[in-house]
Structure formats: C-alpha cells, structure tokens
Amino acid sequence: MTDRPRISARIGGISESATLAVDAKAKAMKAAGRPVIGFGAGEPDFPTPDYIVEAAVQACREPRFHRYTPAGGLPELKEALAAKTLRDSGYEVDPAQILVTNGGKQAIYEAFATLLDPGDEVIVIAPYWTTYPESIKLAGGVPRYVVTDETTGYLATVEQLEAARTDRSKVLVFVSPSNPTGAVYPPEQVREIGRWAAEHGLWVLTDEIYEHLVYGDARFTSLPVEVPELADRTVVVNGVAKTYAMTGWRVGWIIGPKDVVKAAGNLQSHATSNVANVSQVAALAAVSGDLSAVGEMRTAFDRRRQTIVRMLNEIPGVLCPEPQGAFYAYPSVKGVLGKEIRGRRPQTSAELAELVLEQAEVAVVPGEAFGTPGYLRLSYALGDADLAEGVGRLQKLLGEAG
Ligand SMILES: Cc1ncc(COP(=O)(O)O)c(C=O)c1O
C-alpha cells in the first residue's frame, strides 16, 4: 500500500473547462426534454461548407490517408497554410515554421510546454479565455493577470502590462479578436504592445483564431506583421474551427520560429502523432478556398451581435459594451447581483448563471471562468430566433430583480 495520491498534483490542479461544462449541462437538460437555449459554447451553428465536407469524403477513400503521415502535418497542408497566412495577414512564413495540431487547444498547450520552464511567468490579460491559465500551469508556468473592464472595452494598455512584468516574465498572451470579450485591438495599439514586448525581450503567443470575425470599422492586424522585430519570438496560434464552422474536425496550427516548431513537433510526435488525415484534407480545402462562406457567416454574426447587445443593454443593471469581433457578448451584471429574483439573491455571477439556467432555461457562462467575476459570457453563434427567445427570457427574469 502506498499513500501516494491517486491523481498527480499537476493534473489534479486542472479544473474542467467551464465553457464545455456549461454546454454539456445545457445539452443534457435539452436531451431530457427541457427547452434550454444555449449561449455557452463558442461554436458556429452553421454546418461546415459542402466543398470542405466533399474533400473529406474523397480523402476517406484514399488508402494513403489510412496510414500514418508526418507527425507535424501533411506537407501540402503546410504549404497551403503558409499561402493562406500571406493572403490573410501579410505574414510571410516558410512551411517549416508550421506545425499542424489537433485544434487550437493543442497548439496552445504545446506552445507553452515548449516555451516555459518551471517558474517562468506569463502575462495574461483578463477576462481571458479559460484554457490559457490551465495550459500555462500544466507547463510549470505562472500566469500573471492584467485585469481590464468594460470601461475601456476590455483593452489593456502598455502601462498595465508593464506593471505586471517582472524579471521572471517570459511570454505575453495576446488575443485579438478576444474570447470572451469580443475586443479587437486597433493597429496602433497592436504596434505599441508589440514594441513594448520586443523592447523587454518577451515572447508573445498571439491567438488569431477569430481573425476573420471583425465587424464595423474594426480591423484585424497580425502582431508579427506590425512588429517584424518580434517575429523571432512570436508564436501564432490559429485554426479552422471558428472561421469555417469546423469545431468538430480538430485542426489548428502553430506558426513560429523553426527551433520552437521543431521542438513542439517532437512533443507532438510522442503525444498524438499526425492529426487525422481526413480532417487535414478538409482543412486544406477550407484554407485554399475563397472566403465567401466566411463572409456569409460574418454577416449573420454581425446581425446577431447588434440584436444581443441592444437587448442586453435594455435590462436594468446590465451593461454590455459593443464587441468588435469574434462572437461573444460580455456584459457586466454587477448591477443585478444581490437583488432578489424569484426568492433568491444571487451574490456572484456564478450563482446568477445557475439561477438563469434553472429559472429561464438559458445557459450562459459566468465571468468566474474568465478570471473576472461579475460578468456573463454569451456566445451569439446561435440561430436568430433562439437568440431573441433566449435573451427575451433573460430580460424577463432579470427584469424581476428588486
Ligand atoms: C481564443 C480561442 N483560441 C483557441 C480556441 C481553440 O479552438 P479549437 O481547439 O477548437 O481549434 C478557441 C476555442 O474556443 C478560442 O476561443
């Protein structure tokens, strides 16, 4: 007998993805016959475009794709990703700088595992996407949070970042458009932050997965293009999930300096080997095609964005800045907390989210999951009718707060 813990401290310390947990609970309630409307998952409601599915169907029939392929990705996909990166971001990269991963999540995990030694600090802007801190901690790193709020549209300034920098700082996580806030950094602020990182010898992990989902006057800009001197210490994370409605296919990638990509590829060669070939061929069709399907989805998201922001701001005590990108609204609900709703007084956004799920059958993710209690995240990547019905239920329930 041994009294060693059954679960390692490293893995025992990870919490379940709150966004996936909310989504799973909502789907289970739905399966049990309850009319739940889910704003939880960051997942487009559209099917994957036909030409992408068709490419995958054909790949299924090719014996070459029934076998192991290079762990770091199909050479033809890496070529296509380099071409796509030049087309979409103006960033010129060699295919040897690309590693194809099982979604953006694996890209993030491998990037931190490759860059961090125990005790290395990573500056993370909050509200943050819930996966960053967990993958930083798994790699032995220490997240240092810079908290932003609705008064600045959730944008961090160089002064705030500088206040979080120490002599242990190694990496800055930069995400624009952002999950969970939808914030998009204007080009001059991207440059300012990039130059600050370059000046202090920091690495940057920049997550560009929402690059094509920007609205109004907002513009996506790629950090290593704006600040070329940072390219040798920049790791770009991207994937097909959000742009092409391909969340279930699991294809993402890392773009970085060759030594980092090689090292991350060594890790992947032991962990998972190549990404499923059929999915890689689907991704190849996606990134080689034109962007018309994305354009149509963006138009729908933009319409839903305007509806959700308007309806949320009609609720007394709720304050929702207009998101400029991605497909999330991140309202403050501080004005509702502590008030009586159906005999209960939710004190935290986590309690409020629970009450909303029970009483209105609407699934939302509490701000606690993103490092900022007092907020809710609502994905507006769901159908227009469901969106209006769901936010209507929220209006009714929270309107009772007294
Ligand atoms: C900011 C951000 N990066 C990366 C991902 C990872 O996406 P996937 O692993 O599905 O490719 C997500 C998904 O929610 C995300 O919101």
Side-chain angles (χ1 to χ4, degrees), residues 44-383:
D45 63 319
F46 305 101
T48 303
D50 274 348
Y51 67 96
I52 298 174
V53 175
E54 212 37 60
V57 168
Q58 289 186 21
C60 281
R61 301 213 167 86
E62 267 200 56
R64 159 164 100 96
F65 296 131
H66 303 169
R67 315 264 180 257
Y68 291 129
T69 52
L74 293 172
E76 57 270 42
L77 176 56
K78 294 208 278 185
E79 291 279 348
L81 290 171
K84 168 250 170 286
T85 305
L86 187 60
R87 177 193 69 185
D88 296 345
S89 331
Y91 189 28
E92 191 165 357
V93 295
D94 187 293
Q97 289 179 258
I98 299 175
L99 174 67
V100 180
T101 59
N102 283 280
K105 278 187 178 169
Q106 190 183 23
I108 290 163
Y109 173 77
E110 289 181 351
F112 287 128
T114 304
L115 292 177
L116 299 178
D117 277 317
D120 284 344
E121 293 181 4
V122 181
I123 300 175
V124 178
I125 298 164
Y128 50 72
W129 180 46
T130 175
T131 286
Y132 302 123
E134 301 302 342
S135 44
I136 292 165
K137 287 186 263 176
L138 261 177
V142 180
R144 291 277 173 230
Y145 301 115
V146 169
V147 179
T148 63
D149 64 22
E150 66 279 16
T151 60
T152 61
Y154 305 107
L155 297 176
T157 61
V158 163
E159 290 68 34
Q160 284 177 296
L161 298 176
E162 177 60 19
R165 190 176 65 81
T166 73
D167 53 10
R168 294 303 315 258
S169 304
K170 181 163 183 191
V171 184
L172 165 72
V173 178
F174 185 73
V175 194
S176 174
S178 151
N179 175 5
T181 64
V184 179
Y185 283 79
E188 56 281 7
Q189 212 168 338
V190 173
R191 280 194 288 278
E192 213 185 317
I193 289 174
R195 286 187 193 133
W196 166 81
E199 185 188 330
H200 296 289
L202 293 175
W203 287 74
V204 177
L205 182 147
T206 177
D207 187 334
E208 301 189 341
I209 205 157
Y210 295 102
E211 63 182 328
H212 289 293
L213 298 177
V214 289
Y215 313 105
D217 296 334
R219 206 152 57 80
F220 163 76
T221 36
S222 180
L223 200 139
V225 175
E226 295 301 316
V227 187
E229 65 267 34
L230 197 60
D232 191 46
R233 282 198 312 276
T234 298
V235 174
V236 178
V237 169
N238 207 331
V240 292
K242 317 290 176 173
T243 306
Y244 303 98
M246 290 178 72
T247 46
W249 298 80
R250 312 309 305 137
V251 183
W253 57 91
I254 285 172
I255 301 173
K258 286 183 188 163
D259 56 344
V260 170
V261 166
K262 175 80 179 77
N266 291 346
L267 164 62
Q268 182 164 307
S269 77
H270 290 292
T272 54
S273 299
N274 63 276
V275 173
N277 293 317
V278 170
S279 287
Q280 290 198 66
V281 174
L284 175 60
V287 300
S288 314
D290 66 24
L291 292 166
S292 52
V294 186
E296 282 166 30
M297 288 192 267
R298 186 173 45 233
T299 303
F301 291 145
D302 192 10
R303 186 177 62 236
R304 296 167 189 178
R305 173 182 77 111
Q306 293 174 32
T307 306
I308 199 167
V309 170
R310 177 180 49 76
M311 290 182 75
L312 286 170
N313 279 322
E314 283 167 7
I315 306 173
V318 174
L319 206 70
C320 186
E322 187 172 86
Q324 309 291 310
F327 40 58
Y328 306 100
Y330 200 70
S332 160
V333 290
K334 289 176 201 151
V336 177
L337 299 180
K339 299 204 165 150
E340 188 175 327
I341 306 171
R342 306 230 172 139
R344 301 243 291 272
R345 277 185 196 278
Q347 301 294 337
T348 63
S349 41
E351 287 173 15
L352 182 66
E354 228 177 274
L355 183 77
V356 164
L357 184 58
E358 272 170 29
Q359 296 290 320
E361 301 185 308
V362 166
V364 296
V365 187
E368 280 82 350
F370 311 104
T372 53
Y375 298 80
L376 298 177
R377 189 193 78 171
L378 291 86
S379 160
Y380 51 84
L382 75 174

